Amino acid sequence: AQSVTQPDIHITVSEGASLELRCNYSYGATPYLFWYVQSPGQGLQLLLKYFSGDTLVQGIKGFEAEFKRSQSSFNLRKPSVHWSDAAEYFCAVGAFKMYSGGGADGLTFGKGTHLIIQP
Amino acid sequence: DVKVTQSSRYLVKRTGEKVFLECVQDMDHENMFWYRQDPGLGLRLIYFSYDVKMKEKGDIPEGYSVSREKKERFSLILESASTNQTSMYLCASSLFSSGSINTGELFFGEGSRLTVL
C-alpha cells in the first residue's frame, strides 16, 4: 500500500526567508504526486502536481517542487515566503486503482505540515 | 471554474441524531469522495463513489454511510452521531476518463465542520 510521510509537523520561517517542506512517499510504481495548501477553515487547494517528465514542477503562488525518484521524495520549495503563506500543507500520492466500472480510489495524504510565518 | 459545494459549513448536532452532509459538484466528475480531517491525523478517506449508486469503503467507514443517487451529488450520512465524529468533513471529486491518463487530482469543497454534543 502507498504511504506519505511529512516529517515536520510544524515549521516556523521568517517572512522573506526561503522555505522547504519535506515529503517522502512509498509507492510501488511511478507515482502521481501532489501538494495541496489549506488556509484556516477552508478546503484544500492544489499548489502543484507531478505526473511525468521534468522532475522540477512549478505551481501557483511561486511554489515549486522537485521529484527525486532515488530518494522517494517530493519536497516543496519557495525562495521567499510571505505572511499569507501561513497555512497547512499536504503532500499526497496518487493511488490509482481500476475498478470494473471504471474510476479510482482517492489520494493518500500525509499528515500535513503547519507553516508559521514570523514577521 | 471547478466547483465543489458543501451545503453546510458548520453544524452542531446532539448525540444520537441522524446527520446528513451534502456535496454537489458541477464538473461532471465520475468520482466523489468523503474525507475526514482531524488534527495530527491528516485526511482519512471514509467512502468514495465512482458512479451513480456505486460506493466503496475507504479507510474509516465505520459509523458512516453514503448515498449517490445522481452523478453530481454525494451525501455522507451519520445514522446516529457520536461525539467521536466531531470533525471537519471534506468532500472532493475527480475526473475519470476512459482511455486517458487519470491522475487522481482531487477538487475539494470548503469543508463542513461538525460538532456533536
Side-chain angles (χ1 to χ4, degrees), chain A residues 102-104, chain B residues 29-34 47-56 66-68 70-71 73-74 94:
Chain B
H29 283 174
E30 287 75 12
N31 303 319
M32 296 189 74
F33 307 83
W34 277 105
Y47 268 98
F48 69 97
S49 168
Y50 55 89
D51 200 354
V52 174
K53 297 190 185 296
M54 305 303 289
K55 61 186 179 185
E56 292 284 342
V66 291
S67 173
R68 193 165 181 200
K70 294 184 177 181
K71 187 176 184 179
R73 187 179 298 270
F74 192 36
S94 71

Side-chain angles (χ1 to χ4, degrees), chain A residues 12-109:
Chain A
T12 301
V13 177
S14 297
E15 190 169 14
S18 63
L19 170 70
E20 183 169 30
L21 302 183
R22 296 184 290 164
C23 172
N24 292 97
Y25 68 91
S26 173
Y27 191 62
T30 299
Y32 297 147
L33 294 161
F34 305 82
W35 274 100
Y36 284 86
V37 61
Q38 183 183 35
S39 298
Q42 303 297 313
L44 276 69
Q45 179 185 22
L46 182 70
L47 278 177
L48 47 77
K49 56 194 176 187
Y50 170 78
F51 303 148
S52 64
D54 193 345
T55 56
L56 184 64
V57 293
Q58 303 295 321
I60 62 172
K61 305 185 181 187
F63 285 91
E64 67 177 26
E66 186 171 13
F67 170 58
K68 293 185 177 180
R69 184 188 301 276
S70 61
Q71 299 176 19
S72 297
S73 70
F74 189 56
N75 293 347
L76 181 71
R77 301 194 294 247
K78 187 171 184 178
S80 176
V81 297
H82 186 261
W83 64 266
S84 60
D85 293 324
E88 192 84 15
Y89 291 81
F90 292 94
C91 181
V93 63
F96 194 72
K97 189 188 302 182
M98 297 298 296
Y99 289 89
S100 59
D105 56 3
L107 303 180
T108 296
F109 287 84

Side-chain angles (χ1 to χ4, degrees), chain B residues 1 5 10 20 27 41 45 54 62 67 69-70 74 85-86 88 90-91 106 108-109 115:
Chain B
D1 240 7
T5 303
Y10 301 94
F20 291 88
M27 298 163 283
L41 297 178
L45 182 64
M54 305 303 289
E62 296 79 18
S67 173
E69 297 296 320
K70 294 184 177 181
F74 192 36
Q85 292 178 309
T86 292
M88 169 72 97
L90 293 167
C91 176
L106 291 175
F108 283 88
T115 301

Side-chain angles (χ1 to χ4, degrees), chain B:
Chain B
D1 240 7
V2 164
K3 190 76 173 177
V4 178
T5 303
Q6 295 182 230
S7 56
S8 303
R9 293 294 308 277
Y10 301 94
L11 302 93
V12 180
K13 298 292 182 181
R14 298 204 174 274
T15 301
E17 280 192 84
K18 190 169 186 175
V19 181
F20 291 88
L21 300 180
E22 303 285 339
C23 176
V24 176
Q25 52 97 0
D26 65 358
M27 298 163 283
D28 203 32
H29 283 174
E30 287 75 12
N31 303 319
M32 296 189 74
F33 307 83
W34 277 105
Y35 285 88
R36 171 176 171 161
Q37 182 181 15
D38 300 286
L41 297 178
L43 277 72
R44 295 179 290 168
L45 182 64
I46 305 172
Y47 268 98
F48 69 97
S49 168
Y50 55 89
D51 200 354
V52 174
K53 297 190 185 296
M54 305 303 289
K55 61 186 179 185
E56 292 284 342
K57 293 180 180 179
D59 300 317
I60 51 164
E62 296 79 18
Y64 303 95
S65 62
V66 291
S67 173
R68 193 165 181 200
E69 297 296 320
K70 294 184 177 181
K71 187 176 184 179
E72 67 271 18
R73 187 179 298 270
F74 192 36
S75 302
L76 180 69
I77 304 158
L78 288 66
E79 293 288 342
S80 178
S82 63
T83 55
N84 63 12
Q85 292 178 309
T86 292
S87 187
M88 169 72 97
Y89 291 89
L90 293 167
C91 176
S93 70
S94 71
L95 175 68
F96 176 78
S97 178
S98 178
S100 301
I101 294 174
N102 289 279
T103 65
E105 177 181 346
L106 291 175
F107 297 85
F108 283 88
E110 294 289 291
S112 298
R113 183 165 293 282
L114 172 66
T115 301
V116 183
L117 302 174

